[in-house]
Amino acid sequence: MREHMLRNMRDHLRALDQIIGDVSAQRYIEASRLAEERLGMSSLRAHDAEHLAQYFPKDMQLAGSAMHRAASRLRWRPATRTSIARIRGLLKLTARLAELTATCTACHAAYRLAEP
């Protein structure tokens, strides 16, 4: 169980690195897709989250859910409008990315796995 959780957390970190890389390379649609597939609400089954969550304290379950919801909100809609609309969209995207990383930081600050 411990190793499974560590694998999931490391996969989350790899996904976050890729998302940030995609955003910095202006691959916004790819970043959005990756966020949903690897971290968002639709990723829960792949990570077997329901099985693991039952062993977490309630506040940790809530933190995990907040992270998955934040990842699902990390969407980019291509701007076919004005450059001002595009800038606003990018600002919203980076705010959502900050929200996502803040959920990770808060959980990792509050919880640690017990040593085997």
Side-chain angles (χ1 to χ4, degrees):
M1 181 86 60
R2 184 178 195 281
E3 289 304 314
H4 184 172
M5 184 174 178
L6 287 172
R7 263 193 317 276
N8 282 348
M9 294 297 112
R10 289 175 182 138
D11 185 64
H12 291 163
L13 189 56
R14 280 190 298 276
L16 188 57
D17 283 344
Q18 289 177 298
I19 291 163
I20 292 168
D22 282 344
V23 169
S24 70
Q26 299 179 23
R27 292 188 303 261
Y28 307 116
I29 294 171
E30 292 87 341
S32 300
R33 187 176 304 120
L34 184 62
E36 182 56 39
E37 291 172 359
R38 298 269 297 281
L39 300 175
M41 296 301 288
S42 64
S43 76
L44 295 177
R45 183 167 283 132
H47 287 290
D48 202 13
E50 187 176 342
H51 172 71
L52 287 174
Q54 65 183 322
Y55 299 102
F56 298 168
K58 185 66 175 169
D59 286 345
M60 188 176 181
Q61 291 176 21
L62 294 172
S65 293
M67 185 277 295
H68 292 295
R69 282 192 307 278
S72 287
R73 284 191 295 274
L74 189 71
R75 287 192 270 290
W76 169 258
R77 290 171 183 83
T80 55
R81 301 159 283 168
T82 66
S83 59
I84 291 174
R86 181 175 174 79
I87 291 168
R88 285 185 182 139
L90 290 172
L91 290 173
K92 187 180 261 187
L93 178 68
T94 56
R96 287 177 177 161
L97 185 57
E99 175 190 12
L100 173 59
T101 60
T103 63
C104 298
T105 302
C107 190
H108 283 271
Y111 297 100
R112 295 282 181 269
L113 287 175
E115 292 297 320

